[in-house]
Amino acid sequence: MVKIGVRLFLGVNPRQVILTFPEKFRIPFQNHSNQKRLYSGFMVLAKACVLELI
């Protein structure tokens, strides 16, 4: 994967984004009856935020 990335993105420095929940949301998220939908919605919003930042 690294070899392919180096060739595809020559001269681009990779960056990581770490997304975290505020502590007050952790237990409600963990106990939610439809975690898949909840986390999926969070990821859609997170992606939008990162794209806006870029």
Side-chain angles (χ1 to χ4, degrees):
M1 185 177 202
V2 172
K3 286 182 183 181
I4 293 170
V6 168
R7 290 183 181 177
L8 287 177
F9 305 109
L10 190 61
V12 175
N13 294 325
R15 299 285 185 240
Q16 274 186 303
V17 175
I18 299 172
L19 305 171
T20 61
F21 288 155
E23 190 172 345
K24 67 181 178 179
F25 294 135
R26 292 180 189 161
I27 291 176
F29 267 63
Q30 290 171 353
N31 294 333
H32 196 273
S33 62
N34 193 348
Q35 282 187 353
K36 183 176 180 178
R37 182 174 174 214
L38 191 64
Y39 282 101
S40 178
F42 173 76
M43 291 307 295
V44 168
L45 292 173
K47 179 182 176 184
C49 290
V50 171
L51 289 175
E52 181 70 24
L53 179 67
I54 293 172

Short mmCIF file of all heavy atoms in Angstrom, two decimals:
data_model
loop_
_atom_site.label_atom_id
_atom_site.label_comp_id
_atom_site.label_asym_id
_atom_site.label_seq_id
_atom_site.Cartn_x
_atom_site.Cartn_y
_atom_site.Cartn_z
N MET A 1 0.82 -1.18 0.00
CA MET A 1 0.00 0.00 0.00
C MET A 1 0.87 1.26 0.00
O MET A 1 0.57 2.21 -0.70
CB MET A 1 -0.93 -0.04 1.20
CG MET A 1 -1.90 1.07 1.26
SD MET A 1 -2.96 0.80 2.68
CE MET A 1 -4.35 1.73 2.22
N VAL A 2 1.91 1.23 0.78
CA VAL A 2 2.80 2.40 0.84
C VAL A 2 3.48 2.61 -0.51
O VAL A 2 3.56 3.74 -1.00
CB VAL A 2 3.85 2.23 1.97
CG1 VAL A 2 4.88 3.34 1.90
CG2 VAL A 2 3.17 2.22 3.33
N LYS A 3 3.95 1.53 -1.14
CA LYS A 3 4.60 1.65 -2.45
C LYS A 3 3.67 2.25 -3.48
O LYS A 3 4.06 3.11 -4.26
CB LYS A 3 5.07 0.27 -2.93
CG LYS A 3 6.28 -0.26 -2.22
CD LYS A 3 6.69 -1.59 -2.81
CE LYS A 3 7.85 -2.19 -2.08
NZ LYS A 3 8.26 -3.48 -2.67
N ILE A 4 2.42 1.82 -3.47
CA ILE A 4 1.45 2.35 -4.43
C ILE A 4 1.17 3.82 -4.14
O ILE A 4 1.13 4.65 -5.05
CB ILE A 4 0.13 1.53 -4.37
CG1 ILE A 4 0.39 0.11 -4.88
CG2 ILE A 4 -0.97 2.21 -5.18
CD1 ILE A 4 -0.77 -0.84 -4.64
N GLY A 5 0.98 4.15 -2.87
CA GLY A 5 0.72 5.53 -2.48
C GLY A 5 1.84 6.47 -2.88
O GLY A 5 1.60 7.59 -3.34
N VAL A 6 3.06 6.04 -2.71
CA VAL A 6 4.22 6.87 -3.07
C VAL A 6 4.21 7.16 -4.56
O VAL A 6 4.48 8.28 -5.00
CB VAL A 6 5.54 6.18 -2.65
CG1 VAL A 6 6.74 6.87 -3.25
CG2 VAL A 6 5.65 6.15 -1.14
N ARG A 7 3.87 6.17 -5.35
CA ARG A 7 3.84 6.37 -6.81
C ARG A 7 2.65 7.21 -7.26
O ARG A 7 2.77 8.02 -8.17
CB ARG A 7 3.82 5.03 -7.52
CG ARG A 7 5.13 4.30 -7.39
CD ARG A 7 5.13 3.02 -8.15
NE ARG A 7 6.41 2.35 -7.98
CZ ARG A 7 6.70 1.17 -8.47
NH1 ARG A 7 5.79 0.52 -9.16
NH2 ARG A 7 7.88 0.64 -8.27
N LEU A 8 1.51 7.01 -6.64
CA LEU A 8 0.31 7.75 -7.05
C LEU A 8 0.34 9.20 -6.61
O LEU A 8 -0.15 10.08 -7.30
CB LEU A 8 -0.95 7.08 -6.47
CG LEU A 8 -1.38 5.77 -7.10
CD1 LEU A 8 -2.59 5.21 -6.37
CD2 LEU A 8 -1.71 5.95 -8.58
N PHE A 9 0.90 9.44 -5.43
CA PHE A 9 0.86 10.78 -4.86
C PHE A 9 2.28 11.33 -4.66
O PHE A 9 2.61 11.81 -3.57
CB PHE A 9 0.09 10.76 -3.54
CG PHE A 9 -1.29 10.18 -3.67
CD1 PHE A 9 -1.58 8.94 -3.14
CD2 PHE A 9 -2.28 10.86 -4.34
CE1 PHE A 9 -2.85 8.39 -3.26
CE2 PHE A 9 -3.54 10.33 -4.48
CZ PHE A 9 -3.83 9.09 -3.94
N LEU A 10 3.05 11.29 -5.68
CA LEU A 10 4.43 11.74 -5.64
C LEU A 10 4.50 13.19 -5.16
O LEU A 10 3.82 14.07 -5.69
CB LEU A 10 5.06 11.62 -7.03
CG LEU A 10 6.56 11.83 -7.13
CD1 LEU A 10 7.30 10.80 -6.28
CD2 LEU A 10 7.01 11.73 -8.58
N GLY A 11 5.27 13.43 -4.13
CA GLY A 11 5.46 14.77 -3.60
C GLY A 11 4.38 15.24 -2.63
O GLY A 11 4.41 16.38 -2.18
N VAL A 12 3.43 14.38 -2.31
CA VAL A 12 2.36 14.75 -1.38
C VAL A 12 2.68 14.16 -0.01
O VAL A 12 2.91 12.97 0.12
CB VAL A 12 0.99 14.23 -1.88
CG1 VAL A 12 -0.08 14.51 -0.84
CG2 VAL A 12 0.64 14.84 -3.21
N ASN A 13 2.69 15.01 1.00
CA ASN A 13 2.92 14.55 2.37
C ASN A 13 1.60 14.08 2.97
O ASN A 13 0.65 14.87 3.04
CB ASN A 13 3.51 15.66 3.23
CG ASN A 13 4.89 16.05 2.78
OD1 ASN A 13 5.67 15.21 2.33
ND2 ASN A 13 5.21 17.32 2.87
N PRO A 14 1.52 12.82 3.40
CA PRO A 14 0.26 12.33 3.97
C PRO A 14 -0.04 12.97 5.33
O PRO A 14 0.88 13.33 6.07
CB PRO A 14 0.49 10.82 4.12
CG PRO A 14 1.97 10.66 4.19
CD PRO A 14 2.54 11.80 3.39
N ARG A 15 -1.31 13.10 5.62
CA ARG A 15 -1.76 13.63 6.91
C ARG A 15 -2.82 12.70 7.46
O ARG A 15 -3.54 12.04 6.73
CB ARG A 15 -2.38 15.02 6.74
CG ARG A 15 -1.41 16.04 6.21
CD ARG A 15 -0.44 16.45 7.31
NE ARG A 15 0.41 17.53 6.84
CZ ARG A 15 1.71 17.43 6.77
NH1 ARG A 15 2.32 16.34 7.11
NH2 ARG A 15 2.43 18.45 6.34
N GLN A 16 -2.93 12.67 8.78
CA GLN A 16 -3.96 11.87 9.44
C GLN A 16 -4.94 12.80 10.13
O GLN A 16 -4.56 13.86 10.62
CB GLN A 16 -3.34 10.97 10.52
CG GLN A 16 -2.83 9.67 10.01
CD GLN A 16 -2.38 8.80 11.18
OE1 GLN A 16 -1.55 9.21 11.97
NE2 GLN A 16 -2.96 7.63 11.27
N VAL A 17 -6.17 12.36 10.16
CA VAL A 17 -7.20 13.07 10.91
C VAL A 17 -7.76 12.09 11.92
O VAL A 17 -8.14 10.97 11.56
CB VAL A 17 -8.32 13.57 9.99
CG1 VAL A 17 -9.44 14.20 10.79
CG2 VAL A 17 -7.77 14.55 8.96
N ILE A 18 -7.78 12.48 13.17
CA ILE A 18 -8.33 11.63 14.22
C ILE A 18 -9.61 12.29 14.73
O ILE A 18 -9.59 13.43 15.16
CB ILE A 18 -7.33 11.43 15.37
CG1 ILE A 18 -6.07 10.75 14.83
CG2 ILE A 18 -7.96 10.63 16.50
CD1 ILE A 18 -4.94 10.67 15.82
N LEU A 19 -10.69 11.54 14.63
CA LEU A 19 -11.98 12.06 15.07
C LEU A 19 -12.33 11.46 16.43
O LEU A 19 -12.22 10.27 16.61
CB LEU A 19 -13.07 11.69 14.05
CG LEU A 19 -12.77 12.13 12.61
CD1 LEU A 19 -13.78 11.52 11.67
CD2 LEU A 19 -12.77 13.64 12.52
N THR A 20 -12.73 12.30 17.34
CA THR A 20 -13.12 11.82 18.67
C THR A 20 -14.47 12.40 19.05
O THR A 20 -14.89 13.43 18.53
CB THR A 20 -12.09 12.23 19.74
OG1 THR A 20 -12.02 13.65 19.78
CG2 THR A 20 -10.72 11.65 19.45
N PHE A 21 -15.15 11.71 19.94
CA PHE A 21 -16.42 12.18 20.48
C PHE A 21 -16.15 12.87 21.80
O PHE A 21 -15.31 12.43 22.57
CB PHE A 21 -17.36 11.01 20.81
CG PHE A 21 -17.93 10.31 19.63
CD1 PHE A 21 -18.33 9.00 19.74
CD2 PHE A 21 -18.09 10.92 18.41
CE1 PHE A 21 -18.87 8.32 18.67
CE2 PHE A 21 -18.64 10.26 17.34
CZ PHE A 21 -19.03 8.96 17.47
N PRO A 22 -16.90 13.93 22.08
CA PRO A 22 -16.83 14.48 23.43
C PRO A 22 -17.25 13.40 24.43
O PRO A 22 -18.09 12.54 24.13
CB PRO A 22 -17.85 15.62 23.41
CG PRO A 22 -17.98 15.99 21.96
CD PRO A 22 -17.78 14.70 21.21
N GLU A 23 -16.66 13.42 25.58
CA GLU A 23 -16.91 12.38 26.59
C GLU A 23 -18.40 12.21 26.91
O GLU A 23 -18.88 11.10 27.10
CB GLU A 23 -16.13 12.70 27.86
CG GLU A 23 -16.13 11.57 28.85
CD GLU A 23 -15.19 11.83 30.01
OE1 GLU A 23 -14.33 12.72 29.92
OE2 GLU A 23 -15.34 11.12 31.02
N LYS A 24 -19.16 13.31 26.92
CA LYS A 24 -20.57 13.22 27.28
C LYS A 24 -21.40 12.44 26.26
O LYS A 24 -22.50 12.00 26.57
CB LYS A 24 -21.16 14.62 27.49
CG LYS A 24 -21.25 15.46 26.23
CD LYS A 24 -21.83 16.83 26.55
CE LYS A 24 -21.89 17.69 25.32
NZ LYS A 24 -22.46 19.00 25.64
N PHE A 25 -20.88 12.25 25.05
CA PHE A 25 -21.60 11.49 24.02
C PHE A 25 -21.21 10.02 23.95
O PHE A 25 -21.86 9.24 23.27
CB PHE A 25 -21.39 12.11 22.64
CG PHE A 25 -21.98 13.48 22.49
CD1 PHE A 25 -21.25 14.49 21.89
CD2 PHE A 25 -23.25 13.77 22.95
CE1 PHE A 25 -21.78 15.76 21.75
CE2 PHE A 25 -23.79 15.04 22.82
CZ PHE A 25 -23.05 16.03 22.21
N ARG A 26 -20.14 9.64 24.59
CA ARG A 26 -19.62 8.26 24.44
C ARG A 26 -20.61 7.20 24.92
O ARG A 26 -20.88 6.25 24.20
CB ARG A 26 -18.29 8.13 25.15
CG ARG A 26 -17.21 8.93 24.45
CD ARG A 26 -15.88 8.83 25.13
NE ARG A 26 -14.97 9.81 24.51
CZ ARG A 26 -13.88 10.24 25.08
NH1 ARG A 26 -13.52 9.79 26.26
NH2 ARG A 26 -13.13 11.13 24.46
N ILE A 27 -21.14 7.34 26.10
CA ILE A 27 -22.07 6.33 26.63
C ILE A 27 -23.37 6.29 25.82
O ILE A 27 -23.81 5.20 25.43
CB ILE A 27 -22.32 6.54 28.13
CG1 ILE A 27 -21.04 6.19 28.88
CG2 ILE A 27 -23.48 5.68 28.61
CD1 ILE A 27 -21.09 6.45 30.38
N PRO A 28 -23.97 7.44 25.49
CA PRO A 28 -25.18 7.37 24.65
C PRO A 28 -24.92 6.71 23.29
O PRO A 28 -25.74 5.96 22.79
CB PRO A 28 -25.59 8.83 24.48
CG PRO A 28 -25.04 9.53 25.66
CD PRO A 28 -23.76 8.81 25.98
N PHE A 29 -23.76 6.96 22.70
CA PHE A 29 -23.43 6.32 21.42
C PHE A 29 -23.26 4.82 21.60
O PHE A 29 -23.72 4.02 20.80
CB PHE A 29 -22.16 6.93 20.82
CG PHE A 29 -22.41 8.06 19.86
CD1 PHE A 29 -23.02 9.24 20.29
CD2 PHE A 29 -22.04 7.97 18.54
CE1 PHE A 29 -23.25 10.29 19.42
CE2 PHE A 29 -22.26 9.01 17.65
CZ PHE A 29 -22.87 10.18 18.09
N GLN A 30 -22.57 4.42 22.67
CA GLN A 30 -22.34 2.99 22.92
C GLN A 30 -23.63 2.25 23.22
O GLN A 30 -23.77 1.08 22.88
CB GLN A 30 -21.35 2.81 24.08
CG GLN A 30 -19.95 3.22 23.73
CD GLN A 30 -19.02 3.23 24.94
OE1 GLN A 30 -19.45 3.05 26.07
NE2 GLN A 30 -17.75 3.46 24.71
N ASN A 31 -24.58 2.91 23.86
CA ASN A 31 -25.83 2.26 24.25
C ASN A 31 -26.95 2.42 23.23
O ASN A 31 -28.05 1.92 23.45
CB ASN A 31 -26.31 2.82 25.60
CG ASN A 31 -25.37 2.44 26.72
OD1 ASN A 31 -24.68 1.42 26.67
ND2 ASN A 31 -25.32 3.26 27.75
N HIS A 32 -26.68 3.10 22.15
CA HIS A 32 -27.72 3.36 21.15
C HIS A 32 -28.17 2.06 20.48
O HIS A 32 -27.35 1.19 20.19
CB HIS A 32 -27.20 4.33 20.10
CG HIS A 32 -28.27 4.94 19.26
ND1 HIS A 32 -28.74 4.34 18.12
CD2 HIS A 32 -28.96 6.09 19.41
CE1 HIS A 32 -29.68 5.11 17.59
NE2 HIS A 32 -29.82 6.18 18.35
N SER A 33 -29.45 1.93 20.23
CA SER A 33 -30.00 0.70 19.66
C SER A 33 -29.61 0.49 18.19
O SER A 33 -29.60 -0.63 17.70
CB SER A 33 -31.52 0.69 19.78
OG SER A 33 -32.08 1.77 19.05
N ASN A 34 -29.28 1.57 17.49
CA ASN A 34 -28.89 1.44 16.08
C ASN A 34 -27.54 2.13 15.88
O ASN A 34 -27.45 3.18 15.23
CB ASN A 34 -29.96 2.04 15.18
CG ASN A 34 -29.78 1.68 13.72
OD1 ASN A 34 -28.74 1.15 13.34
ND2 ASN A 34 -30.77 1.96 12.91
N GLN A 35 -26.50 1.53 16.43
CA GLN A 35 -25.17 2.13 16.37
C GLN A 35 -24.69 2.34 14.95
O GLN A 35 -24.06 3.35 14.64
CB GLN A 35 -24.15 1.25 17.10
CG GLN A 35 -24.20 1.36 18.59
CD GLN A 35 -23.07 0.60 19.24
OE1 GLN A 35 -22.32 -0.11 18.58
NE2 GLN A 35 -22.95 0.74 20.53
N LYS A 36 -24.98 1.40 14.07
CA LYS A 36 -24.51 1.51 12.69
C LYS A 36 -25.01 2.80 12.04
O LYS A 36 -24.24 3.53 11.41
CB LYS A 36 -24.97 0.29 11.88
CG LYS A 36 -24.46 0.28 10.47
CD LYS A 36 -24.87 -1.00 9.76
CE LYS A 36 -24.36 -1.00 8.33
NZ LYS A 36 -24.70 -2.22 7.63
N ARG A 37 -26.29 3.07 12.20
CA ARG A 37 -26.86 4.29 11.62
C ARG A 37 -26.29 5.53 12.28
O ARG A 37 -25.98 6.53 11.60
CB ARG A 37 -28.38 4.26 11.78
CG ARG A 37 -29.06 5.43 11.17
CD ARG A 37 -30.57 5.27 11.23
NE ARG A 37 -31.21 6.49 10.77
CZ ARG A 37 -32.33 6.95 11.22
NH1 ARG A 37 -33.01 6.28 12.13
NH2 ARG A 37 -32.84 8.06 10.77
N LEU A 38 -26.13 5.51 13.58
CA LEU A 38 -25.62 6.65 14.32
C LEU A 38 -24.18 6.97 13.91
O LEU A 38 -23.86 8.11 13.58
CB LEU A 38 -25.69 6.37 15.82
CG LEU A 38 -25.44 7.53 16.75
CD1 LEU A 38 -26.51 8.60 16.59
CD2 LEU A 38 -25.41 7.04 18.18
N TYR A 39 -23.32 5.96 13.89
CA TYR A 39 -21.92 6.17 13.52
C TYR A 39 -21.80 6.53 12.04
O TYR A 39 -20.95 7.33 11.66
CB TYR A 39 -21.07 4.95 13.86
CG TYR A 39 -20.73 4.87 15.33
CD1 TYR A 39 -21.42 4.01 16.18
CD2 TYR A 39 -19.73 5.65 15.87
CE1 TYR A 39 -21.12 3.94 17.53
CE2 TYR A 39 -19.41 5.59 17.22
CZ TYR A 39 -20.11 4.73 18.05
OH TYR A 39 -19.81 4.68 19.37
N SER A 40 -22.65 5.95 11.21
CA SER A 40 -22.63 6.28 9.79
C SER A 40 -22.95 7.76 9.58
O SER A 40 -22.28 8.45 8.80
CB SER A 40 -23.64 5.41 9.04
OG SER A 40 -23.66 5.74 7.68
N GLY A 41 -23.96 8.24 10.28
CA GLY A 41 -24.30 9.66 10.20
C GLY A 41 -23.17 10.54 10.69
O GLY A 41 -22.88 11.60 10.10
N PHE A 42 -22.51 10.12 11.75
CA PHE A 42 -21.37 10.88 12.27
C PHE A 42 -20.26 10.95 11.23
O PHE A 42 -19.67 12.01 11.02
CB PHE A 42 -20.84 10.23 13.56
CG PHE A 42 -19.57 10.87 14.06
CD1 PHE A 42 -19.60 12.09 14.71
CD2 PHE A 42 -18.35 10.25 13.86
CE1 PHE A 42 -18.43 12.68 15.16
CE2 PHE A 42 -17.18 10.83 14.31
CZ PHE A 42 -17.22 12.05 14.96
N MET A 43 -20.00 9.85 10.55
CA MET A 43 -18.93 9.84 9.54
C MET A 43 -19.26 10.73 8.35
O MET A 43 -18.38 11.38 7.79
CB MET A 43 -18.64 8.41 9.09
CG MET A 43 -17.98 7.57 10.18
SD MET A 43 -16.49 8.31 10.88
CE MET A 43 -15.41 8.30 9.47
N VAL A 44 -20.54 10.79 7.97
CA VAL A 44 -20.95 11.68 6.88
C VAL A 44 -20.66 13.13 7.27
O VAL A 44 -20.11 13.91 6.49
CB VAL A 44 -22.45 11.47 6.54
CG1 VAL A 44 -22.96 12.56 5.63
CG2 VAL A 44 -22.66 10.10 5.91
N LEU A 45 -21.02 13.49 8.50
CA LEU A 45 -20.77 14.84 8.97
C LEU A 45 -19.27 15.13 9.11
O LEU A 45 -18.80 16.22 8.77
CB LEU A 45 -21.46 15.07 10.32
CG LEU A 45 -22.98 15.09 10.28
CD1 LEU A 45 -23.54 15.15 11.69
CD2 LEU A 45 -23.48 16.27 9.47
N ALA A 46 -18.53 14.15 9.60
CA ALA A 46 -17.09 14.32 9.75
C ALA A 46 -16.42 14.53 8.40
O ALA A 46 -15.55 15.39 8.24
CB ALA A 46 -16.49 13.10 10.46
N LYS A 47 -16.85 13.76 7.41
CA LYS A 47 -16.30 13.91 6.05
C LYS A 47 -16.58 15.32 5.52
O LYS A 47 -15.70 15.96 4.95
CB LYS A 47 -16.90 12.87 5.12
CG LYS A 47 -16.40 12.98 3.70
CD LYS A 47 -17.06 11.96 2.80
CE LYS A 47 -16.65 12.15 1.37
NZ LYS A 47 -17.35 11.22 0.46
N ALA A 48 -17.79 15.79 5.72
CA ALA A 48 -18.15 17.13 5.26
C ALA A 48 -17.28 18.19 5.94
O ALA A 48 -16.83 19.15 5.28
CB ALA A 48 -19.63 17.40 5.52
N CYS A 49 -17.03 18.02 7.22
CA CYS A 49 -16.19 18.97 7.96
C CYS A 49 -14.75 18.97 7.44
O CYS A 49 -14.15 20.03 7.25
CB CYS A 49 -16.20 18.65 9.45
SG CYS A 49 -17.77 19.00 10.25
N VAL A 50 -14.22 17.78 7.21
CA VAL A 50 -12.84 17.68 6.71
C VAL A 50 -12.74 18.28 5.31
O VAL A 50 -11.79 19.02 5.00
CB VAL A 50 -12.35 16.22 6.73
CG1 VAL A 50 -11.02 16.08 6.02
CG2 VAL A 50 -12.22 15.73 8.17
N LEU A 51 -13.71 17.98 4.44
CA LEU A 51 -13.69 18.55 3.10
C LEU A 51 -13.80 20.07 3.15
O LEU A 51 -13.16 20.77 2.35
CB LEU A 51 -14.81 17.94 2.26
CG LEU A 51 -14.62 16.49 1.87
CD1 LEU A 51 -15.84 15.97 1.14
CD2 LEU A 51 -13.37 16.30 1.02
N GLU A 52 -14.60 20.60 4.04
CA GLU A 52 -14.72 22.05 4.18
C GLU A 52 -13.39 22.65 4.65
O GLU A 52 -12.99 23.71 4.19
CB GLU A 52 -15.83 22.37 5.19
CG GLU A 52 -16.06 23.84 5.40
CD GLU A 52 -16.69 24.55 4.22
OE1 GLU A 52 -17.37 23.89 3.41
OE2 GLU A 52 -16.50 25.78 4.10
N LEU A 53 -12.72 21.95 5.54
CA LEU A 53 -11.43 22.42 6.05
C LEU A 53 -10.37 22.45 4.94
O LEU A 53 -9.60 23.39 4.83
CB LEU A 53 -10.96 21.53 7.19
CG LEU A 53 -9.62 21.85 7.82
CD1 LEU A 53 -9.71 23.19 8.55
CD2 LEU A 53 -9.21 20.76 8.78
N ILE A 54 -10.40 21.41 4.12
CA ILE A 54 -9.42 21.32 3.02
C ILE A 54 -9.68 22.42 2.03
O ILE A 54 -8.86 23.08 1.51
CB ILE A 54 -9.48 19.94 2.35
CG1 ILE A 54 -9.00 18.88 3.32
CG2 ILE A 54 -8.65 19.90 1.09
CD1 ILE A 54 -9.19 17.47 2.83
#
